Amino acid sequence: MANDLFQPTRLGALTLPNRIVMAPLTRSRTGSRGIPGAMNAEYYRQRATAGLIIAEATQVSPQGQGYAYTPGIHAPEQVAGWRQVTDAVRQAGGRMVLQLWHVGRISHESLQPGGALPVAPSAIRPEGQAFTEAGFQPHPTPRALETDEISGIVEDFRRAAENAKQAGFDGVEIHAANGYLIDQFLRDKTNRRTDRYGGSIENRTRFLLEVTEAVTRAFGADRTGVRISPASPANDIADSDPQPLFGHVAAALGRFGLAYLHVVEGATGGPRDIIPFDFVALKRAFGGPYLANNGYDKALAEAALRDGRADAIAFGRPFIANPDLVDRLRIGAPLNEPDRATLYGGDAKGYTDYPVLARAAE
């Protein structure tokens, strides 16, 4: 069947041997300097049978960090660390892109250079807590970015894309989802600006499009994806009218000729029907390869592919506990359950020690 989950497909310049994509998963295991190492290389190598691996969200600058022990792609030693990872994945026959990330207001002074306040489109404090090296701490009220600062953040994304290329990635994904900085510009709950980046849908979309233009210039449009989450309330985000907003976003992104649009359908990690939203219309507005995400199992994935509602399916948490997820889905084997206590931070326990089928049968 042409749209079978286990058949090859293309996302831009990327040729995938199957349509099972490993979604980006923050695991907070790169130390305080954000440098990937041998343990991270082994983790991703184990999962190289995925049609495509989207590496965990990776900050484009020191200012872009919002959680302890997450990786960066702005320093030479981070580039070298990621090269160790991409080499391991490539030697195992895999393909890998890097998700480029700036968290905006979802941070804490202790994670920011010089103890500065996190930045955002507007000075509106988010509900929730930041995961810091001292444990969970409430998010502070961020500082609103000055208009003339925004071009510098666009340049951070461009430079990060260049660094990702040097690190051996096959492409990059722009993180415009889940209530982080780009999403904060898009949504009217978090963007109260009165300059050219605020107010109308066109103005609120401007930052995303500037980042996309810069990143595609650095790595090529056919090796760049964008992730959005139109219906998700993650990180205290919302919009008063998301359908026209994200319809405009999808159509504008479609003009770039991107590798794919990666869409979290519903609440991130939660219910798919949290608010009414027409994802089929979103796919149509984009016009290119559509990567569907959120709560998919094998049956839902196959139905989405068969009905033309997606071109590939991203699986998140199932990949944490099942490095051989592709094989398990192929033969209908039961899935390991992730150990919630080891999801974030720590060592190899709950990271690289989950059993694969051959060992599970012993």
Side-chain angles (χ1 to χ4, degrees), residues 45-71:
R45 184 202 63 78
Q46 290 174 349
R47 291 152 179 81
T49 53
L52 178 68
I53 293 172
I54 305 173
E56 64 207 88
T58 299
Q59 51 258 14
V60 300
S61 68
Q63 185 194 69
Q65 184 173 7
Y67 303 80
Y69 315 124
T70 52

Side-chain angles (χ1 to χ4, degrees), residues 31-47:
S32 59
R33 296 173 63 203
I35 304 170
M39 184 173 69
N40 310 108
E42 173 61 12
Y43 168 76
Y44 284 111
R45 184 202 63 78
Q46 290 174 349
R47 291 152 179 81

Side-chain angles (χ1 to χ4, degrees), residues 265-276:
E265 298 177 344
T268 305
R272 295 172 54 82
D273 57 354
I274 187 167
I275 62 170

Side-chain angles (χ1 to χ4, degrees), residues 284-358:
R284 189 181 310 118
F286 178 61
Y290 181 98
L291 176 55
N293 182 316
N294 201 36
Y296 278 90
D297 57 18
K298 183 179 180 181
L300 283 174
E302 289 180 334
L305 294 174
R306 182 176 61 248
D307 297 343
R309 290 182 282 111
D311 299 287
I313 307 295
F315 293 83
R317 291 202 172 192
F319 263 114
I320 291 176
N322 299 277
D324 55 347
L325 180 64
V326 173
D327 291 336
R328 288 175 185 265
L329 292 176
R330 191 190 309 273
I331 66 174
L335 302 183
N336 302 318
E337 288 296 321
D339 174 12
R340 298 186 63 85
T342 58
L343 289 179
Y344 304 107
D347 53 20
K349 180 175 172 53
Y351 190 60
T352 57
D353 63 348
Y354 283 105
V356 298
L357 285 170

